[in-house]
Amino acid sequence: MPELRQNLATKEWVIIATERARRPEEFVEPTHARTDERPDWLADCPFCPGNEELDLEVLRIPQEGAWQLRVVCNKYPALQREGERTFSFDGIHRMISGVGHHEVLIETPRHNSAPALQRSDEVALMLRAFQLRGQEVTTDPRVQHLIYFKNHGVRAGTSLLHPHTQLIGLPVVPHTIRLRTEEARRYFDDHGMCVFCKMIEDELSDGVRIVMESEHFVAFVPFAAFSPFHLWILPRRHHSNFLDTQANEIADLGHLLRQVLRKFYVGLNDPDYNYVIRSAPIHDPAMEYLHWYLALVPRVSRAAGFELGSGMFINIALPEASAAFLREVKEDN
Amino acid sequence: MPELRQNLATKEWVIIATERARRPEEFVEPTHARTDERPDWLADCPFCPGNEELDLEVLRIPQEGAWQLRVVCNKYPALQREGERTFSFDGIHRMISGVGHHEVLIETPRHNSAPALQRSDEVALMLRAFQLRGQEVTTDPRVQHLIYFKNHGVRAGTSLLHPHTQLIGLPVVPHTIRLRTEEARRYFDDHGMCVFCKMIEDELSDGVRIVMESEHFVAFVPFAAFSPFHLWILPRRHHSNFLDTQANEIADLGHLLRQVLRKFYVGLNDPDYNYVIRSAPIHDPAMEYLHWYLALVPRVSRAAGFELGSGMFINIALPEASAAFLREVKEDN
């Protein structure tokens, strides 16, 4: 019989289509142009060396000589950097001026790279650069929430293939985030414990959905995963803000994230995917009851009218089978 | 400057990318195989006449002779029709047995049709059939919520092109629906008025986002539309349950929906789209503060990591421009 499963933290339901579940092997991308089959430099790629627009640059590592990583202001930003945060609320007209930050982290000079093809220390440097920019953007009093995200591949919504991630500093806390924070607070008040710490505890005790563990992090397919291979990476140490992650933890995460993405690359043949870092709203005193995490969603299935109407998903793979498949993939370190 | 707009009813924010907004004409589908260019019958289509599986059938109109419309149980249902609704909640293991209904409404015997190509009375008959099945499914005490939805085209998630819509009877009220109901209740308590009635009032008063009006319904692009041409159709008469819509209102809606979908078909060259009927949870005493509506989303843009991480959308079209474009499209009656 199919199962409806509910995520303990988000309270979202998912239908696990046990009867018509597909085997993990069925989600392997058929032969297609993989990232490492692209040229390593393109004359018309705005992120390739030689095409740098220096007036947009806000971070470059190393500062001298050939760069390894750059952060630039998005040339076509969703939000405008200059201007006041103004409110205007009148009946259906509820508006805030679209001010904020929209930055692009160019992860490497190599056009045909990806985290799965990099060294662990390169992935860790990317995470560190995110922290540096996050800390800077946080000082802007107009900014209420930061979204860190990556779109890998066209189906994941990218228009530029050169490896990059993005950071958006919003002038509001999104409604969904407010509601999730509220759920987490309620769990803490009811149980005297962070709901995410509880999830780590239970997932480790079950074991069947764990994909990888490191000293400081745990990677698992959640019990109520909403799509095939949907994966969460949580820090073992309770803290709510990604910016508070320490240098040794970032190094450890760089290694774990690289291994997990390599499992996707090797096992599913370079699938398109999104990942996002979910950190507490920056002015929220949510230290006790929120826990930051990284959520990874390969784009191997498609949302449609049911998802639009219900906010629920139908997962056509068993979370336990997704995890077992990923555990077995030899990522050749 | 870009604008953040908030939907008064759902409280969801959207970024309206005013600066880099595309003109409505830029979303017109390039030449592609349109619905009316397909054959009108396919030997291997399970929904075409001659391939009926009678044991799955739950409704046929007319009952004698050649059928005009059929409703069948989904051969590969997301939920199982037989079985008890059982709960099992223990730590992260929160589950309900996957029982419920998953039905498919085959809108016409013609393989190459679509609501935009049908007569108004055919579209109204489809809505009436939805009501008949909804009323029947509602009598099942295990069912808590009904989702009515359509996936038109591959990008909208359909695997079968023969025109059909679907009905899922869920054994839970989805979390998102619970939260929206709560928002609507709060508005009612604060203002003594249904928030959707307020939206109709304000949208009619503004006028700029209205696409069409009929005796009983209003079709508009909401002030905080989350994607280009995102459109809501609301009944003028306050009622929360689609099943309570009267015969004369259904006839009127059949005409309006057909005209609106025809504007999409003609103006945007048969785009892929989803629509969903959002009706109150069936056991909810939400009569005063909820208002049912039909939401329509053409698949002309793509959600990515930002949307995943924030629950917000970036709309690259001005709602007012989307509405003006649709108003101008001559749908040839």
Side-chain angles (χ1 to χ4, degrees), chain B residues 185-203:
Chain B
R185 191 197 52 70
R186 191 174 303 141
Y187 189 92
F188 188 88
D189 286 354
D190 285 350
H191 299 88
M193 176 179 190
C194 159
V195 66
F196 296 93
C197 289
K198 170 69 175 164
M199 287 179 80
I200 296 173
E201 200 177 284
D202 282 10
E203 288 291 0

Side-chain angles (χ1 to χ4, degrees), chain B residues 8-131:
Chain B
L8 182 66
T10 67
K11 290 290 196 292
E12 283 161 4
W13 288 100
V14 62
I15 298 177
I16 309 286
T18 48
E19 311 289 295
R20 52 173 185 170
R22 290 201 242 155
R23 285 174 301 114
E25 294 77 5
E26 295 179 63
F27 295 101
V28 178
E29 278 287 339
T31 321
H32 68 138
R34 297 200 330 191
T35 299
D36 58 3
E37 289 162 358
R38 296 203 300 258
D40 67 355
W41 184 84
L42 270 190
D44 61 354
C45 168
F47 296 164
C48 274
N51 300 330
E52 293 90 349
E53 295 191 66
L54 296 180
D55 54 325
L56 296 173
E57 187 172 290
V58 290
L59 181 69
R60 173 189 286 235
I61 298 172
Q63 287 194 308
E64 302 293 328
W67 57 271
Q68 185 179 345
L69 175 157
R70 294 171 70 231
V71 181
V72 297
C73 293
N74 194 316
K75 197 172 179 180
Y76 306 100
L79 297 168
Q80 187 177 299
R81 220 176 167 194
E82 291 80 30
E84 244 184 288
R85 188 167 77 117
T86 55
F87 289 73
S88 154
F89 281 57
D90 175 27
I92 57 164
H93 305 102
R94 300 168 71 88
M95 280 172 52
I96 296 182
S97 54
V99 295
H101 299 262
H102 189 172
E103 301 187 350
V104 179
L105 194 158
I106 305 162
E107 300 170 25
T108 161
R110 294 189 306 280
H111 189 77
N112 61 348
S113 187
L117 302 170
Q118 291 187 300
R119 296 190 314 270
S120 296
D121 63 295
E122 293 175 305
V123 178
L125 181 68
M126 185 271 291
L127 294 165
R128 179 64 191 141
F130 249 159
Q131 284 192 313

Side-chain angles (χ1 to χ4, degrees), chain A residues 283-310:
Chain A
H283 301 302
D284 230 306
M287 297 301 291
E288 277 191 320
Y289 51 89
L290 273 189
H291 198 119
W292 80 265
Y293 64 99
L294 187 150
L296 180 58
V297 182
R299 291 294 194 113
V300 295
S301 62
R302 199 190 284 270
F306 173 70
E307 290 77 6
L308 176 71
S310 65

Side-chain angles (χ1 to χ4, degrees), chain A residues 10 21 30 34 142 219 246 296:
Chain A
T10 67
R34 297 200 330 189
R142 300 169 309 168
Q246 302 301 306
L296 180 58

Side-chain angles (χ1 to χ4, degrees), chain A residues 2 4 6 20 76 92-96 98 151 156 174-175 183 202 206 223 274 278 299 303-305 308 310, chain B residues 2 4 6 20 76 92-96 98 151 156 174-175 183 202 206 223 274 278 299 303-305 308 310:
Chain A
L4 271 82
Q6 188 180 42
R20 52 171 185 171
Y76 306 100
I92 57 165
H93 306 101
R94 300 167 71 88
M95 282 173 51
I96 296 183
N151 306 333
H175 190 58
E183 285 296 350
D202 282 11
D206 273 12
F223 175 74
N274 299 107
R278 289 186 172 277
R299 291 294 194 113
L308 176 71
S310 65
Chain B
L4 271 81
Q6 187 179 42
R20 52 173 185 170
Y76 306 100
I92 57 164
H93 305 102
R94 300 168 71 88
M95 280 172 52
I96 296 182
N151 306 332
H175 190 57
E183 285 296 351
D202 282 10
D206 271 11
F223 175 73
N274 299 107
R278 291 186 172 275
R299 291 296 194 112
L308 177 70
S310 65

Side-chain angles (χ1 to χ4, degrees), chain B residues 199-200 203-204 207-222 229-236 252-253 255-261 263-264 293-296 322-324 326-327:
Chain B
M199 287 179 80
I200 296 173
E203 288 291 0
L204 283 172
V208 288
R209 285 172 302 276
I210 302 289
V211 173
M212 283 191 88
E213 288 185 65
S214 67
E215 186 182 352
H216 298 291
F217 291 86
V218 182
F220 58 87
V221 176
F229 311 103
H230 178 200
L231 185 138
W232 282 15
I233 300 178
L234 273 86
R236 294 181 196 262
D252 182 55
L253 177 59
H255 183 70
L256 181 77
L257 179 57
R258 189 259 183 196
Q259 298 300 85
V260 165
L261 290 174
K263 279 175 178 287
F264 280 95
Y293 64 98
L294 186 149
L296 179 58
S322 288
L326 290 173
R327 264 198 311 272

Side-chain angles (χ1 to χ4, degrees), chain A residues 4 13 312, chain B residues 79 84-87 96-97 99-101 134 137-148 167-175 177-178 181 241 243 279-286 290:
Chain A
L4 271 82
W13 287 99
M312 289 173 58
Chain B
L79 297 168
E84 244 184 288
R85 188 167 77 117
T86 55
F87 289 73
I96 296 182
S97 54
V99 295
H101 299 262
V137 168
T138 300
T139 63
D140 182 338
R142 302 169 307 169
V143 172
Q144 305 300 308
H145 194 67
L146 301 180
I147 307 277
Y148 312 81
L167 168 63
I168 290 189
L170 290 165
V172 284
V173 178
H175 190 57
I177 306 290
R178 276 236 199 284
T181 305
N241 191 334
L243 298 178
S279 186
I282 59 187
H283 301 303
D284 231 307
L290 273 189

